[in-house]
Amino acid sequence: MQAFAPGIYPRSEALVQATRDLDRGRTSEEAVDERFRRDLDELVRVEQEAGLDLLADGMLRWQDLFRPLLEESDGLAPGPLTRFLDTNSFYRAPTATSAEPRLRAPLDERYVTPLPGPRLVTLPSPYALSRGTGLTATAVATAVLKPQLDALDADLVVLSEPFLARDGAAGLGELGEALTALEGGPRLALQITFGDARELLEAGLGDLPVAAIGIDFYATRATDVPDGFSKLLLAGVVDARSSALEEPQEIAEFVERLRARGVAEVALVPNGDLQYVSERIAREKLAHLGASRTARPKESAA
């Protein structure tokens, strides 16, 4: 059983203060770059000590799920500040400035940082990136996401999808066409974050052309997963919006319930971006996530 942590990781208090100081002219870009490097080194250390199977760079320089891709694309731009789901955080919603968007160049090492081992990369799903722009998911998949994917050296790319569970299963067809346009590159996972995936699972979420599907099991019941689910299941068993720490034995018990439904392959992940908890809590959650890989259910350990 694998474990890893896609998505945006929280910045340390020192890094948050450094970026504020830079905005106010109280520090230098070099000093902030050094603070980013220290945060990344600490994150990699935590991931390695937790025994996570794939390393992630925590997207520490990403202001939100979309911003770097929007800023590096012709025909797309950061739009108005928009509340993210039911959180107290905001993002710049993607806005189309042309009917034919184009990624000018793949993101550089500021946004996809080299790591000392097998890695994952998180990107927005084509549905999320196109939502509200008037563009099709296939258009942004072909002209923006595909060039980025082709430039990546990653063992897994997790496409984060925070909206589809709320918008409903009607968008599955459009998303499926867009995902087909992304084939031929790194192995892909589609992660449904922060939402109940029951309706999507009933409508064929597991049939989409990706290697893995991620489910938020704080919003979705284990019994909603179809019997004999054949793909790698990214099981969202760490609550990224709560400071409460998960117990590895309880996670192990939950995995046994999934296996009883015929789920052959499970990877343990948070149910969304860990940026909604403090960096200290996120560190502890990663440690518990890693320990869950080898934990035994309570009844088995008794």
Side-chain angles (χ1 to χ4, degrees):
M1 184 164 57
Q2 295 182 309
F4 41 81
I8 301 176
Y9 190 77
R11 298 175 178 181
S12 68
E13 291 182 6
L15 177 54
V16 171
Q17 186 61 53
T19 57
R20 288 174 179 167
D21 287 345
L22 182 63
D23 290 341
R24 296 166 184 167
R26 296 174 180 172
T27 191
S28 66
E29 290 189 7
E30 291 77 11
V32 175
D33 287 343
E34 174 61 19
R35 189 64 252 181
F36 270 113
R37 185 190 65 77
R38 291 183 185 180
D39 266 38
L40 177 62
D41 288 348
E42 174 65 8
L43 171 57
V44 170
R45 182 192 67 78
V46 169
E47 290 177 309
Q48 291 175 327
E49 288 188 358
L52 301 190
D53 296 274
L54 297 176
L55 298 177
D57 63 16
M59 306 173 76
L60 293 172
R61 289 185 181 270
W62 292 60
Q63 300 95 326
D64 56 50
L65 180 61
F66 310 104
R67 195 85 60 87
L69 287 170
L70 299 178
E71 292 176 344
E72 289 297 325
S73 296
D74 293 328
L76 289 173
L81 275 177
T82 304
R83 183 182 297 275
F84 181 71
L85 304 179
D86 54 356
T87 71
N88 289 323
S89 64
F90 294 80
Y91 70 102
R92 293 282 182 184
T95 300
T97 59
S98 166
E100 297 181 354
R102 179 182 66 88
L103 185 69
R104 292 189 297 273
L107 301 179
D108 62 26
E109 293 184 358
R110 291 175 300 161
Y111 301 111
V112 184
T113 309
L115 297 173
R119 71 165 304 155
L120 66 85
V121 171
T122 302
L123 296 173
S125 89
Y127 181 89
L129 185 57
S130 64
R131 185 175 184 262
T133 64
L135 302 171
T136 67
T138 299
V140 299
T142 302
V144 178
L145 291 174
K146 179 61 172 170
Q148 180 61 55
L149 286 171
D150 288 345
L152 293 177
D153 181 13
D155 294 79
L156 181 69
V157 175
V158 177
L159 302 173
S160 180
E161 178 43 67
F163 304 122
L164 191 60
R166 290 165 172 76
D167 292 349
L172 273 180
E174 179 184 0
L175 176 57
E177 292 178 8
L179 292 172
T180 298
L182 298 180
E183 293 179 332
R187 193 167 61 126
L188 299 179
L190 178 73
Q191 185 180 18
I192 306 299
T193 61
F194 299 135
D196 185 351
R198 179 185 60 80
E199 180 185 351
L200 301 179
L201 287 164
E202 291 175 348
L205 177 66
D207 297 327
L208 291 175
V210 290
I213 296 290
I215 301 296
D216 172 8
F217 282 113
Y218 284 86
T220 310
R221 297 175 301 179
T223 52
D224 292 330
V225 178
D227 288 330
F229 191 82
S230 61
K231 292 184 175 176
L232 172 64
L233 179 63
L234 307 192
V237 293
V238 168
D239 190 351
R241 295 196 288 184
S242 169
S243 60
L245 297 177
E246 295 75 16
E247 288 297 329
Q249 283 189 321
E250 293 179 0
I251 291 176
E253 290 176 5
F254 183 79
V255 170
E256 288 302 306
R257 291 166 57 192
L258 293 175
R259 286 176 170 159
R261 298 189 61 77
V263 179
E265 291 186 89
V266 176
L268 306 177
V269 298
N271 65 342
D273 301 295
L274 281 169
Q275 65 172 326
Y276 300 105
V277 297
S278 70
E279 190 265 339
R280 179 184 65 82
I281 293 295
R283 270 187 277 126
E284 295 186 56
K285 283 181 175 279
L286 290 188
H288 283 226
L289 183 69
S292 301
R293 295 168 62 251
T294 55
R296 297 171 61 192
K298 288 182 179 178
E299 58 267 24
S300 299

